[in-house]
Amino acid sequence: MTKSHHPTQKEASDSFVMKAMSRGSEAMESLTVRISRSTHAALRALAEETDASMPEVLDKAIEIYRRQRFLAGLNADFAALRKNKAAWEEELAERKLWDAALTDGLED
């Protein structure tokens, strides 16, 4: 006899359910995640406003957020680099070398 496993509340809330969604002729694998009612309402409103599906709106929103996080990290890295005078001077010198290399061998 095997014991059945009853998920804890955390396991249940962290679970992902795989299911198939069809868009036109292509099948798209998707995962279900839990979101708040207010987030769902905002997502639905954006989808209706833009005449897009909720997954499309969510995909775009996550991509925008991912890019914002990347650029924020990049800005923080450059801010830290600027604080180190020797490292910043080295960066500027390297940029000058690359700028010169961009036109190397090209005719005007």
Side-chain angles (χ1 to χ4, degrees):
M1 180 188 296
T2 61
K3 277 178 112 175
S4 64
H5 174 73
H6 297 285
T8 65
Q9 185 175 4
K10 174 156 179 36
E11 287 173 328
S13 68
D14 289 347
S15 68
F16 293 95
V17 179
M18 305 241 341
K19 63 183 177 182
M21 292 176 53
S22 60
R23 183 188 303 158
S25 63
E26 68 183 56
M28 182 175 85
E29 181 181 75
S30 68
L31 300 174
T32 300
V33 296
R34 297 179 189 277
I35 59 175
S36 68
R37 290 188 187 278
S38 62
T39 298
H40 185 268
L43 180 58
R44 181 182 300 272
L46 284 167
E48 289 173 2
E49 180 182 314
T50 60
D51 196 30
S53 69
M54 290 196 303
E56 288 170 334
V57 172
L58 190 55
D59 287 347
K60 288 177 185 177
I62 290 173
E63 179 59 18
I64 289 168
Y65 182 64
R66 187 195 64 77
R67 289 176 185 206
Q68 287 175 341
R69 298 284 305 143
F70 173 79
L71 292 174
L74 191 60
N75 284 337
D77 291 345
F78 272 106
L81 185 62
R82 277 188 225 99
K83 287 180 181 179
N84 180 331
K85 187 174 178 164
W88 184 244
E89 291 298 324
E90 186 178 323
E91 169 68 19
L92 294 177
E94 185 174 337
R95 287 182 188 188
K96 283 184 182 180
L97 289 173
W98 280 108
D99 284 343
L102 289 176
T103 57
D104 188 28
L106 297 178
E107 297 178 19
D108 289 329

